[in-house]
Amino acid sequence: MLDIIGPEERRLAQLIRHMRSVDDYRQTFDRLQASWDTLTLLGQLSGGATEMEGTRTAFSRLTTELLGHLAVATRDKVVAELRTKAQNAIDLLVRNLFERTADIGFLAADTDIREFLEQGTEDGAARARIEARFRDYVAKYSVYADIVLVDGAGTVKARLTEHPSGQILHPVIGEALNSAGAYVEHYGPADFVSETNELLYAWRVEGQAGRPLGVLVLVFRLADEMAGIFRKLLPEADWTVLGCVTPEGRVVAGSCPLQMPRGLRVATADLRGRAPILRLGGRRYLAVACRPAPYQGYAGPGWLGLGLVPLEAAFDAEDGPAAEMDEQVLGAVTSRSELFPPALKTVSRQAAAIQSNLNRAVWNGSIRQAGSAHANAAFSKILLWEISDAGRKTQEACDASIRELHRTVVAAMLGKCRSRAALAIDVMDRNLYERANDCRWWALNATFARALAAPSREMAQLCGKTLATINALYTVYTNLILFDAQGMVVAVSQPDQSGWVGVTLKEEWVARTLALRSGQHYAVSGFEPSPLYGEAATLIYAAAVQDEAGRAIGGIAIVFDATPQFAAILNDCLPADDSGQPLPGGFALLVGRDGRVLSSTEPGFAVGAASPFAIDPAALARDGDMATIRRIGGRFLAIGAAFSKGYREYRTSDGHQPDAMAICAVPLGEAAAAAQPRVMRGGGAAGHAQPALRRPEGAVTFEAATFHIGRHWLGVGAGQVVEAVDFADLKPSARRAPDGLLAGYKLHEGEPVPVLRLDRMLGFEAGEAEERQIVIVKAAGRTFGLVVDALGPIPEIAENEIQPLREMGGRFDVPARGLVASDSVAGGARGMLLLLDAERLGVRLETEARVLVHAAE
């Protein structure tokens, strides 16, 4: 059903066979096409039916186009989900590694480490103390597997784990000693750690005079970190395989050791194109490779995020909320949204146009058979009915496939919002994990403990310099504050904040900090305005500085630069298109458990204001994330939300509870009145010809050509109808009638025919303009047209069933023969049929023409 013309189309053809929903529609259309073939042949044999070849061909072309659109949308949805997972995986890793580049710089400047190397002796007790510091550090920063300290000659002076290597000759040592950068990042063999590739961060330890004393090496727990990332991104039943690979295609880490083992080589040439198919281990996968988004200028080791999903399982996922959403809401969303390409709207209009033309052809065919007693006429009527029924079924199948296509597009958007919200809250958790660790580690610095134990101006100045050095490495803070046991500020990192020195802090978190009895615990303020942050809302993390007896003699407070940092997180996590550009109108929020906005990319939702989305935090915390469609401010929005789950020890086992959620939203369209289902009018589906029925014995009957105007069902004698024609190319009248009853003139068989607006004559509300038809009527020697909204059945009516027309408001004389109850109409549907008098309509039109002439004079 799909024309294949290029490599992208060939790839799509390989995917279609795995798309069960697309294949179901293909089979439905194939069955309908077979019916059309049969009906077309019967029509040609009977000679009395409308020629159906054009309609059959048009429907065949349309269904092929529909299947193509549906296949592309289905593919793009799965590829977008796969790309989002792969992108999130590599971006999370890069943001984690960015923190490591700061850690190595700070730890290499640690006072105790520097003094230990300056001693230059083989003091076992001193080494034990340094290694205890390493253990204390890793207890807070559990992302490290080992810490190794060597002197300038590469001799191991201390390390966290046991290893036989006492001398290290690895190039990373020389590079760290001589590099002009701020750190050395190395991935590859490291015999002093293990026999496999390792990710290392190294930097030199310098003396007070700036002379290199040695090198500190941090060994990152890459496999453990990637396993945690994969667990968060991949639900238990997900078939997706995630990994990160080097630019040469070597797998660094994979979520499945069987399908993507570490060290596996992937041909990067196979990862090009819109939806590449990759062969691995005798299995075919849909594959996506993503470059990381740099974070504050850091792009990581240059690795790519890789996502794979087996072809046989790629298209099995349910559409979730979009599949279950109300049809009326879906119709309103999809009919007005700019997210749907114009081609989809064109297809929908094409289907309606084909069905409208078919209805008219069948209706005209029935008109031609009206009143005929020939046996072939009866067969033709049945054939016309079958043709009409085939058209109806084809239209329904087209409508269903278009709805499926719309659901697929909306489901892709919902999935994107959900995954980006999950990324935003995960990045926030990871960011704040670092903040909770930073304050606890810096509180262990010997310089601070000495200054608080023996206060002096010189020691306070030294503390200020140390804090400034740290703050230069960790730019996410506006200030670092050292305070004593009474809460008085002793030193700050920012010179322009020196006015705080000597001020006693009264905030409640200060008392909680001084009450801490372990270096493993921390205090954090509520997200609230603080004078330490210019009265803006922020989080302040703090840890106790303890003396040798474990008593709190002060604390370190770090003022998180919440406004730009949270904004950066949200901006980086906005739902984006395939090129990485944020989707138009998309925005993101961080919201507290109390429903108050913590940060927003949408100016209309200010920090501290109530969130515009009523989301139950308890339910979201239970489910983890969600996606839905909400109506907010006159728009339909795709909404994704995720609740904080913590990261490693942070807010999972440190005594603090998750208390925030991220929300991502993309507008789907204006919330106009939801599309109403098509009303079943009095005569049934438009153009639906009825089979010939046995006439009541002895009854005088006639056939009525019926049609609809708005919700009203009307008709005239079928013998007075010439045919129905398209409303297009109606020429306006040269003179405008005062009451507007004359719609214009339609060229019919070479002659201009005046066309009457029945809706205005009868005071009815007209229906949709694109459905309009013109019924050409000939009565008493006059030929004229009637504007109608849709064509109805052509039933047989007994003369004695016509009821006299009673007063209709008393405003004017209605040119009608009377009313017929639906129960009296053979094959009719519910409702009252108003039978118009064609002779009187002609007279009315003639009167209208005289009015125009008189107005011209």
Side-chain angles (χ1 to χ4, degrees), residues 154-507:
T155 302
V156 176
K157 306 301 291 183
R159 70 180 301 163
L160 184 63
T161 62
E162 294 184 3
H163 195 278
S165 295
Q167 190 77 17
I168 298 177
L169 303 177
H170 197 279
V172 72
I173 303 301
E175 188 177 355
L177 287 170
N178 300 298
S179 174
Y183 62 90
V184 171
E185 182 180 64
H186 171 82
Y187 176 74
D191 56 0
F192 65 95
V193 179
S194 71
E195 297 180 356
T196 61
N197 292 338
E198 299 287 349
L199 182 58
L200 311 176
Y201 289 86
W203 196 237
R204 56 182 171 266
V205 180
E206 297 178 344
Q208 290 183 329
R211 179 177 65 86
L213 301 173
V215 173
L216 186 72
V217 180
L218 299 178
V219 182
F220 183 65
R221 297 176 64 188
L222 179 62
D224 178 74
E225 174 62 18
M226 294 308 302
I229 290 175
F230 296 148
R231 278 195 302 272
K232 284 199 172 184
L233 294 177
L234 298 177
E236 197 169 312
D238 199 325
W239 286 78
T240 304
V241 181
L242 292 178
C244 58
V245 300
T246 65
E248 297 75 31
R250 188 71 67 183
V251 174
V252 175
S255 63
C256 177
L258 296 178
Q259 298 178 84
M260 198 187 295
R262 185 176 180 180
L264 176 70
R265 181 67 178 269
V266 178
T268 53
D270 293 338
L271 301 180
R272 300 191 182 100
R274 187 171 179 82
I277 296 174
L278 189 68
R279 287 182 180 273
L280 281 178
R283 197 177 200 179
R284 294 193 305 166
Y285 296 85
L286 191 65
V288 171
C290 304
R291 296 187 180 279
Y295 182 65
Q296 298 193 21
Y298 173 74
W303 299 337
L304 306 175
L306 179 61
L308 307 177
V309 61
L311 284 186
E312 64 269 23
F315 305 99
D316 289 346
E318 296 294 330
D319 284 345
E324 302 169 0
M325 68 177 296
D326 185 274
E327 285 290 335
Q328 293 187 5
V329 176
L330 181 63
V333 170
T334 55
S335 65
R336 300 183 62 86
S337 173
E338 296 180 356
L339 296 173
F340 300 95
L344 300 188
K345 298 177 182 178
T346 300
V347 167
S348 184
R349 287 195 295 267
Q350 286 175 339
I354 294 171
Q355 184 62 33
S356 178
N357 292 335
L358 175 64
N359 289 344
R360 187 166 60 248
V362 170
W363 199 81
N364 287 336
S366 298
I367 289 293
R368 286 193 290 271
Q369 301 298 329
S372 174
H374 196 279
N376 193 50
F379 173 77
S380 294
K381 286 185 177 182
I382 295 174
L383 179 59
L384 286 169
W385 185 86
E386 292 293 344
I387 289 171
S388 179
D389 192 52
R392 177 183 58 79
K393 290 178 179 177
T394 305
Q395 176 74 52
E396 289 173 354
C398 288
D399 289 345
S401 65
I402 291 172
R403 287 194 299 271
E404 179 71 20
L405 199 154
H406 287 166
R407 273 195 294 268
T408 300
V409 174
V410 173
M413 190 59 59
L414 288 168
K416 189 170 292 187
C417 289
R418 184 205 299 263
S419 63
R420 298 305 281 180
L423 174 65
I425 201 67
D426 198 6
V427 171
M428 188 202 76
D429 282 341
R430 289 163 177 269
N431 192 310
L432 298 183
Y433 161 83
E434 304 290 345
R435 312 297 65 94
N437 292 345
D438 288 348
C439 66
R440 289 183 291 164
W441 176 252
W442 298 339
L444 298 177
N445 192 300
T447 300
F448 301 144
R450 292 169 189 169
L452 293 175
S456 69
R457 183 177 180 181
E458 292 75 14
M459 288 300 296
Q461 290 177 341
L462 178 59
C463 288
K465 291 180 180 179
T466 303
L467 292 173
T469 299
I470 296 172
N471 208 164
L473 291 170
Y474 296 84
T475 57
V476 298
Y477 304 114
T478 60
N479 202 9
L480 309 182
I481 301 169
L482 177 68
F483 56 90
D484 64 16
Q486 285 71 47
M488 187 185 73
V489 176
V490 174
V492 296
S493 64
Q494 299 292 346
D496 61 354
Q497 299 288 311
S498 60
W500 285 101
V501 175
V503 175
T504 299
L505 302 175
K506 300 296 185 181
E507 283 78 359

Side-chain angles (χ1 to χ4, degrees), residues 439-440 443 483 509-524 541-546 550-556 654 656:
C439 66
R440 289 183 291 164
F483 56 90
W509 52 262
V510 176
R512 283 193 285 117
T513 302
L514 294 171
L516 297 174
R517 292 295 178 261
S518 167
Q520 285 299 106
H521 294 94
Y522 64 92
V524 59
Y541 285 81
V545 177
Q546 298 174 322
R551 294 187 299 268
I553 56 176
I556 290 283
D654 61 2
H656 298 265

